Amino acid sequence: PVQVVDHFLYEHPPSFLLGTIDKFAMLTWDGRGRAFFGAPAVSGNPSFRPPDLVIQDELHLISGPLGTIAAVYESAIDVVLAQRGMSPKIVAATATMRGADTQARRLYARQVRVFPAPGVDADDSWFMHEDRTDGAPNRRYIGLLGQAHSPVTNTVHSTAALLNAGEESARTDTFWTTLAYHNSRRELGKTMTLGRDDIPDRIKVALNPRPRKCSNVRELSGNIAGWEVPERLKELDLERGHAEAVDLLPCTNMISVGVDVGRLNSMIVMGQPKTTAEYIQATSRVGRQRDGAGVVLVNFSPTKPRDRSHFESFRRFHDALYRWVEPTSVTPESGPALDRALHAAVILAVRLWRLPDDEQAKDLATMADDDLQDVLNRLVDRLQSASGSRELAEERIREIFDWWRAAIEEALSAGRSFKYRSEAQYRGLIRRFGTPLKDESKETLQSMRNVDGEVPTSVEKW
């Protein structure tokens, strides 16, 4: 009933497919992905029904470079589905967003319909009910600006006080584990060092008579290996009294999505996060249980003007927190986005519709003009409905088809084989992003998250 290997998924498409959005970049590289869109992965295999429903969780994360590139690929995927006679319903879930109409139009070329519809009572919005009874648990935000101390001293003092509060809180597990949120891994590294040295010493010296031990300091960030992440989340479930219970967890925005540990109620935020949406998502990891109470201590840096501004308007900012959520940015019509991903979208649309195998890349030269024009029109219409730009998209897609034909003619005239992927022994259309230029093939993404190239540098002795 469950399969995780790509090869078997292509042969037996599942009824319910789970994946990350950047995985769709591989559809340009592997024609077998057409099995998910109603065509057989291998000739002779049975066809399956195209998807009827697409569920996109955490829509607010599909923005910036990721959202822009994803929107270009979504255009090609929509064209493939339309050629199969399908237009799936898209359900996108998010808790923090502004400008959803614009983002959904540029991503999916669809009109947004909010579900469920807002109710008549702001305290009961279907998703959330606010309990105003006396003594009801809540999440309390506290702002701290250490005006007379260095940022390191502020970090040591505030974190030590918050950790020791877990020892003094009626000997329960409520505030035992403290999350320390950071805006960068560089700042996280400092806290990791302080958490093993200065913070335990501060607890011993200044917080007698019953100082707690701070021996289990763990990290949750991109610095740890992927297989360690589930282990780290399991450790967060260990309650006070267990030998491996986590005392302090320095983390980055990795904590913001998909972490739902009910016993977490204490967090210190090292500086105001870059966006309000990220601030809401990160701090909502604590105080999630009905019988618990969350404490969020925001440790502002006195040397940063933005932090000082947030501290000075702390109460007003938190009284209307969702009002300050920034609109997301998705710009698939921009020139650099089209340069980076439009050729991949064109190849994806043709490959998943008509020419899936590597050896069939050369068959574009013999395709009927009406078929090519149909693909061009569908892609242009889809891009226009998403961004309103038609002339630029049509011109660029025609240039891609001309480049494709010219590459076929050049390879065949030189007596070389022609495939989609460019290798040493044959001419191709695409090569891995970041590889040096060896022919007229185009750099093509294999993940939508790594959209910027690397610049090699060297240090020479004078």
Side-chain angles (χ1 to χ4, degrees):
V2 177
Q3 188 57 260
V4 296
V5 180
D6 289 7
H7 174 73
F8 294 105
L9 288 171
Y10 294 141
E11 290 189 353
H12 305 284
S15 301
F16 187 60
L17 178 66
L18 291 172
T20 56
I21 190 171
D22 59 323
K23 182 73 173 180
F24 287 108
M26 289 302 297
L27 291 173
T28 303
W29 291 83
D30 196 333
R32 295 177 298 171
R34 69 200 302 251
F36 301 138
F37 301 96
V42 181
S43 58
N45 283 15
S47 298
F48 294 84
R49 182 179 177 85
D52 301 286
L53 176 66
V54 176
I55 300 175
Q56 174 61 63
D57 195 15
E58 306 291 357
L59 182 64
H60 63 280
L61 298 179
I62 315 301
S63 61
L66 172 63
T68 296
I69 297 298
V72 180
Y73 279 89
E74 287 285 353
S75 300
I77 292 171
D78 267 2
V79 168
V80 173
L81 288 171
Q83 289 166 337
R84 305 292 176 198
M86 293 297 296
S87 180
K89 181 184 290 292
I90 299 175
V91 178
T94 182
T96 49
M97 174 166 286
R98 195 173 193 178
D101 290 342
T102 301
Q103 183 177 8
R105 176 174 57 82
R106 291 181 172 177
L107 265 176
Y108 305 116
R110 306 284 185 93
Q111 182 181 357
V112 169
R113 297 173 185 265
V114 178
F115 174 82
V120 296
D121 187 357
D123 293 341
D124 188 354
S125 63
W126 300 98
F127 299 103
M128 178 273 296
H129 172 72
E130 185 173 352
D131 188 353
R132 292 181 177 271
T133 58
D134 292 339
N138 56 20
R139 186 183 301 118
R140 176 151 304 185
Y141 290 84
I142 304 170
L144 172 66
L145 184 72
Q147 182 74 19
H149 300 287
S150 68
V152 172
T153 302
N154 290 337
T155 298
V156 172
H157 287 197
S158 57
T159 306
L162 201 56
L163 283 167
N164 206 62
E167 172 70 25
E168 300 296 329
S169 58
R171 299 287 177 174
T172 66
D173 182 61
T174 306
F175 300 104
W176 185 255
T177 299
T178 295
L179 306 182
Y181 177 90
H182 298 79
N183 293 305
S184 69
R185 284 187 281 183
R186 179 178 62 85
E187 295 175 353
L188 179 141
K190 295 179 181 178
T191 302
M192 286 294 296
T193 303
L194 297 174
R196 295 188 173 103
D197 188 7
D198 296 57
I199 292 175
D201 289 346
R202 172 69 183 177
I203 294 175
K204 293 177 184 178
V205 171
L207 300 173
N208 285 324
R210 293 188 302 177
R212 67 172 285 183
K213 292 182 179 180
C214 180
S215 55
N216 291 330
V217 180
R218 299 291 187 265
E219 176 182 355
L220 186 62
S221 72
N223 291 330
I224 66 175
W227 63 267
E228 292 184 88
V229 175
E231 297 296 327
R232 199 69 83 239
L233 297 179
K234 287 182 181 179
E235 291 176 354
L236 291 178
D237 282 321
L238 302 178
E239 297 186 357
R240 174 179 182 168
H242 195 284
E244 298 298 324
V246 178
D247 295 303
L248 178 64
L249 183 81
C251 54
T252 58
N253 60 357
M254 186 181 287
I255 198 75
S256 305
V257 178
V259 177
D260 187 7
V261 181
R263 61 177 292 271
L264 299 178
N265 293 291
S266 173
M267 172 180 280
I268 182 168
V269 180
M270 302 300 182
Q272 185 68 25
K274 295 179 176 62
T275 65
T276 304
E278 172 62 23
Y279 181 62
I280 295 172
Q281 290 285 337
T283 57
S284 66
R285 300 304 110 183
V286 300
R288 297 172 74 90
Q289 282 188 337
R290 182 174 178 83
D291 57 350
V295 173
V296 178
L297 176 64
V298 188
N299 185 17
F300 295 106
S301 173
T303 61
K304 296 179 180 179
R306 183 171 175 268
D307 277 21
R308 181 179 291 276
S309 175
H310 273 277
F311 177 76
E312 292 172 351
S313 58
F314 192 81
R315 179 65 180 267
R316 182 166 56 89
F317 174 68
H318 287 82
D319 281 345
L321 196 55
Y322 282 85
R323 181 187 301 171
W324 302 98
V325 173
E326 302 85 354
T328 54
S329 171
V330 178
T331 55
E333 74 281 3
S334 62
L338 297 178
D339 291 339
R340 187 62 51 83
L342 185 58
H343 72 279
V346 173
I347 295 171
L348 188 158
V350 174
R351 187 169 191 179
L352 269 59
W353 170 51
R354 185 66 67 85
L355 308 173
D357 299 333
D358 276 335
E359 294 76 11
Q360 292 179 305
K362 64 180 183 303
D363 294 344
L364 183 90
T366 59
M367 279 184 64
D369 291 339
D370 290 344
D371 290 338
L372 286 178
Q373 188 65 39
D374 180 54
V375 175
L376 186 147
N377 291 339
R378 288 177 184 269
L379 268 174
V380 170
D381 290 344
R382 172 59 172 78
L383 290 168
Q384 182 185 18
S385 60
S387 60
S389 173
R390 183 178 184 86
E391 291 77 12
L392 177 61
E394 184 171 3
E395 179 183 352
R396 290 199 177 221
I397 294 174
R398 289 189 184 279
E399 290 176 355
I400 291 170
F401 280 133
D402 292 341
W403 158 75
W404 193 338
R405 286 197 187 98
I408 295 172
E409 183 178 350
E410 177 187 340
L412 296 181
S413 63
R416 299 180 64 191
S417 299
F418 187 84
K419 298 184 179 182
Y420 283 109
R421 188 178 306 198
S422 180
E423 298 290 350
Q425 63 271 29
Y426 50 78
R427 177 75 161 85
L429 288 173
I430 56 178
R431 67 182 190 276
R432 186 187 296 269
F433 184 73
T435 55
L437 178 64
K438 295 181 180 178
D439 49 36
E440 294 303 318
S441 59
K442 291 184 179 292
E443 288 184 294
T444 305
L445 299 172
Q446 293 184 315
S447 169
M448 298 184 201
R449 298 187 183 277
N450 303 317
V451 299
D452 294 318
E454 296 182 356
V455 179
T457 59
S458 61
V459 179
E460 297 183 2
K461 213 169 184 180
W462 286 72

